[in-house]
Amino acid sequence: RKEVEQDPGPFNVPEGATVAFNCTYSNSASQSFFWYRQDCRKEPKLLMSVYSSGNEDGRFTAQLNRASQYISLLIRDSKLSDSATYLCVVTPFSGGYNKLIFGAGTRLAVHP
Amino acid sequence: EPEVTQTPSHQVTQMGQEVILRCVPISNHLYFYWYRQILGQKVEFLVSFYNNEISEKSEIFDDQFSVERPDGSNFTLKIRSTKLEDSAMYFCASTTPPGETQYFGPGTRLLVL
């Protein structure tokens, strides 16, 4: 079983749409959770951290369900500039200084 | 805003040659990482480095690979006797306690012919 699994997409949505991405992870001891964004042939960039209480940053909302080992990202009012690959990322241990384990990513294409 | 830099941006080499990929982490960061991404695949952890020694390495990071912090600013990844399957984008990242965010450099695209 893959350590971090994501639907590869692509998700093709019109501007203004709401889109949701899901992710599951296999290691129940995983400690920290993130969504990164990666543009084509660029480096991953942190979009947001994910907490059990859920967190929101503008149009983006992330949720974590530890019991189901499930992470989600909701994007509201999609913009053309949201087109990218969204990477679900976990770390196996507490403390922020350890390796990141990436999912293969979900590709989003927002069209006019 | 401070950033991680990497050189070269692109490297083409012949199979069997040695390459050195260079990174300059953010100046006050203490933890350094190398990741790689084969075209069309996920980002994979290679190695982490702290206090002038490797703190963790993946199965990918075999004897062909080595890392070094030769001075106070550079962090290098050396690949000896490159293979075709080493062709990938190599990303350097750095972080510092108590933060959790790893900041990635723009990557070096390595092509082994």
Side-chain angles (χ1 to χ4, degrees), chain A residues 32 38 43 97-100, chain B residues 33 35 37 56 100 102 105:
Chain A
S32 299
Q38 186 175 32
E43 73 273 25
Y97 331 127
N98 59 87
K99 65 184 179 186
L100 301 179
Chain B
Y33 309 83
Y35 295 84
Q37 187 175 30
E56 187 177 359
E100 290 189 331
Q102 289 187 22

Side-chain angles (χ1 to χ4, degrees), chain A residues 3-4 32 34 36 38 41-46 49 51 87 91 93 95-104, chain B residues 31 33 35 37 39 41-45 48 56 89 91 95-102 104-107 109:
Chain A
E3 290 182 280
V4 180
S32 299
F34 310 93
Y36 274 71
Q38 186 175 32
R41 295 176 178 265
K42 300 286 189 181
E43 73 273 25
K45 291 187 177 178
L46 179 66
S49 301
Y51 306 111
L87 309 175
T91 62
F93 308 114
Y97 331 127
N98 59 87
K99 65 184 179 186
L100 301 179
I101 301 172
F102 286 81
Chain B
Y31 294 80
Y33 309 83
Y35 295 84
Q37 187 175 30
L39 188 62
Q41 297 187 24
K42 66 178 183 179
V43 178
E44 300 174 290
F45 167 77
S48 59
E56 187 177 359
M89 181 75 102
F91 294 109
T95 191
T96 198
E100 290 189 331
T101 303
Q102 289 187 22
F104 282 76
R109 184 167 298 280

